[in-house]
Amino acid sequence: MCTVGGGPDLGEVETLAAKDYECQECNNKFQGMGRRPTCPSCKSRNVKAV
Amino acid sequence: MPFLQIQECQGGLRVNYEVKLKVDCNCKVCKGMHIRLLDDEIAYLEGLSGTIALAKTRGISFFLETETREIVLFTEPEDLIVASSFGVGEKVRRGLACTLYQLRELEAPLIVLPKGHPASPRLKTVVSIGPCTHLSCKIQPGTHPEQNVLCGSEEFHELEVVAEPGGAEIRGKAQGIALDSDRIVIEKL
């Protein structure tokens, strides 16, 4: 992604294809993208796309 | 580098050998420049008017914060954070290291400015995160939403920075400069 300075200016960031996930360990819900989904709260990889 | 596999029987056991062939190959893959990069290192590639810095992500997640959403960007341990700046010299290298350090070591979130925000032209560094980054001088900084395109100075146009185990490979031909190890500086991040 193209970002700028201390904070990025992605322009059309809202169009990025992020998926909704739920952590099966701590029930945290989050949006993410990439090949190795990991819960940002508890770092568990036991997450499920919802 | 091509490999030739040879099978040989030794005392009834079949042994496989891999022999590296020394051949002159002009394909893009073989002509790439390989950079060995440890997890705690940063590599700088300095051009005429721009500098690129790269480091391993170590598999951490990065956070993109918009006004209404948070998007978590997952990475593999061998993926790269690539930062580009339009400038050369010690000051620019320190700025790039600072950007990579904040993102990776402090896990600083990336605050996404709305499109057309007046601060955008003032910002000096662009960042790409993932297994492969295509550099282009023909996009406006901060306006390209594709994940693997990063704006860079003219001499780096159409170069690719590709993650590989234990390092990175720079593929393609730099414009007006020789792409060799003299242009690479590796330091601790």
Side-chain angles (χ1 to χ4, degrees), chain B residues 98-117:
Chain B
C98 179
T99 299
L100 297 192
Y101 191 89
Q102 281 207 58
L103 290 173
R104 195 183 71 175
E105 302 300 320
L106 304 182
E107 298 188 27
L110 290 155
I111 311 299
V112 180
L113 297 175
K115 194 172 185 180
H117 193 282

Side-chain angles (χ1 to χ4, degrees), chain B residues 13-185:
Chain B
L13 293 172
R14 185 171 284 177
V15 180
N16 288 325
Y17 293 99
E18 277 191 338
V19 180
K20 285 181 184 177
L21 293 176
K22 272 194 171 180
V23 292
D24 288 323
C25 178
N26 288 319
C27 80
K28 213 173 179 181
V29 174
C30 293
K31 284 180 76 103
M33 181 172 67
H34 298 269
I35 300 169
R36 191 173 291 179
L37 191 60
L38 299 176
D39 275 359
D40 60 348
E41 289 179 334
I42 179 171
Y44 304 98
L45 173 60
E46 196 163 274
L48 301 173
S49 61
T51 306
I52 294 165
L54 44 138
K56 290 288 182 186
T57 65
R58 300 203 287 210
I60 68 163
S61 296
F62 297 84
F63 300 94
L64 311 178
E65 316 287 352
T66 74
E67 212 172 322
T68 55
R69 290 169 81 188
E70 177 179 78
I71 298 172
V72 185
L73 177 65
F74 316 118
T75 67
E76 300 276 355
E78 292 292 347
D79 285 351
L80 295 167
I81 318 173
V82 184
S84 169
S85 187
F86 290 89
V88 293
E90 175 67 18
K91 202 171 169 180
V92 169
R93 287 199 298 274
R94 288 176 68 179
L96 289 166
C98 179
T99 299
L100 297 192
Y101 191 89
Q102 281 207 58
L103 290 173
R104 195 183 71 175
E105 302 300 320
L106 304 182
E107 298 188 27
L110 290 155
I111 311 299
V112 180
L113 297 175
K115 194 172 185 180
H117 193 282
S120 296
R122 300 186 193 284
L123 302 170
K124 305 296 181 193
T125 307
V126 290
V127 177
S128 171
I129 300 169
C132 179
T133 295
H134 299 258
L135 293 160
S136 172
C137 70
K138 293 186 177 168
I139 56 170
Q140 192 182 338
T143 60
H144 212 284
E146 280 186 26
Q147 286 179 65
N148 61 350
V149 179
L150 182 66
C151 25
S153 55
E154 203 171 326
E155 61 271 24
F156 298 137
H157 183 56
E158 292 191 341
L159 286 186
E160 280 183 306
V161 183
V162 183
E164 62 181 18
E169 182 182 358
I170 312 285
R171 296 178 183 170
K173 193 172 181 297
Q175 313 292 318
I177 58 167
L179 200 58
D180 53 36
S181 55
D182 291 347
R183 293 214 169 257
I184 302 286
V185 176

